[in-house]
Amino acid sequence: MSILGAIKRFAAVGAVVLAAVSLQPTTASAAPQPVVGGTRAVQGEFPFMVRLSMGCGGSLYSPTVVLTAAHCVSGSGNNTSITATAGVVDLQSSSAIKVKSTKVLRAPGYNGSGKDWALIKLAAPINQPTLKIATNTTYNTGTFTVAGWGAAIEDGAQQRYMLKASVPFISDATCRAAGGAYSDLIAGEEICAGYAEGGTDTCQGDSGGPMFRKDNAGEYIQVGIVSWGIGCAQAGNPGVYTEVSTFASAIASAAATL
């Protein structure tokens, strides 16, 4: 996977933070796209969503642990520099819950390809519903929901309100057929989603946020973590997500050490 071809969907605060669309190519001719396919989430709709101060998203794995992407953090160890914001759709709401980090645990062996998960330990619990993670591949199909905060155009400011969108599963074979960096998709560690015609996707700034769906009991379950992609909701360029079920056991073991 070339560093120019596959772009991680992380954005530092004040940089690109898009929700419900995907990253623009890093070429001079690439025009910024408006947010497409996304609608504003309702307060309380996804209470497990977390906004992280370094420009990423995340989900509440437990009241004191946030699950995010490995590429959103610099490594493992004590870390008090991250602020997690939760409990609101409106980031400027006076009801927003803000908690500092104490530790970070990045996926062992992470080197920029695959294994794109990390855990952030919080200084105090966030008393909101958590998001359970998939422990097998049963729900790695169908239509997924993605959500996050972001700008309406590439290089714009972070959005105040959370947006949500739906994206369908794409098979590994179809995803690889897109060519370029997609040819190096790591089966079993990454899962793709999006529309063949484009128009709806996750993007820079959504990194670390969850891709989820309803399980057979009607409860939300996380199947992916926003990782990388090429283009901004462009035809033939799907979003790529960490396949959570593959790492469920490792995530549980790591969380138990925090």
Side-chain angles (χ1 to χ4, degrees):
M1 177 170 24
S2 77
I3 196 165
L4 293 178
I7 310 299
K8 296 295 185 182
R9 295 181 171 183
F10 161 80
V13 172
V16 186
V17 190
L18 302 185
V21 294
S22 74
L23 188 63
Q24 285 290 332
T26 54
T27 60
S29 61
Q33 295 280 342
V35 171
V36 287
T39 58
R40 189 180 294 184
V42 176
Q43 176 61 33
E45 188 173 8
F46 309 124
F48 44 76
M49 291 292 299
V50 176
R51 179 69 187 163
L52 298 170
S53 57
M54 82 287 269
C56 279
S59 57
L60 284 176
Y61 177 81
S62 77
T64 57
V65 176
V66 174
L67 176 61
T68 187
H71 74 266
C72 287
V73 299
S74 58
S76 298
N78 294 333
N79 186 324
T80 59
S81 68
I82 302 168
T83 300
T85 301
V88 293
V89 166
D90 177 1
L91 290 177
Q92 295 182 23
S93 171
S94 60
S95 300
I97 301 166
K98 295 181 181 290
V99 181
K100 284 286 190 178
S101 61
T102 60
K103 294 181 181 179
V104 170
L105 196 160
R106 192 167 68 176
Y110 174 73
N111 63 2
S113 296
K115 298 181 178 64
D116 197 5
W117 64 267
L119 298 174
I120 298 173
K121 179 67 181 291
L122 302 175
I126 292 177
N127 295 317
Q128 294 289 317
T130 58
L131 179 60
K132 63 183 177 181
I133 65 173
T135 58
N136 57 58
T137 60
T138 299
Y139 300 108
N140 288 7
T141 188
T143 299
F144 309 117
T145 298
V146 289
W149 294 265
I153 59 171
E154 185 93 3
D155 296 322
Q158 146 178 307
Q159 273 198 31
R160 174 175 175 174
Y161 298 97
M162 184 196 307
L163 296 181
K164 62 179 180 178
S166 297
V167 287
F169 167 76
I170 295 177
S171 70
D172 289 349
T174 300
C175 197
R176 284 197 179 109
Y182 294 106
S183 300
D184 297 326
L185 183 79
I186 305 174
E189 293 192 12
E190 297 175 319
I191 181 173
C192 299
Y195 295 91
E197 67 275 20
T200 307
D201 196 4
T202 50
C203 188
Q204 197 172 11
D206 283 326
S207 280
M211 181 172 73
F212 50 97
R213 53 159 289 177
K214 292 285 185 71
D215 63 13
N216 291 336
E219 298 180 353
Y220 284 124
I221 187 168
Q222 182 171 353
V223 299
I225 300 170
V226 179
S227 185
W228 63 273
I230 300 173
C232 187
Q234 293 184 355
N237 287 342
V240 181
Y241 303 78
T242 304
E243 192 167 324
V244 169
S245 59
T246 298
F247 303 104
S249 178
I251 290 169
S253 295
T257 69
L258 292 176

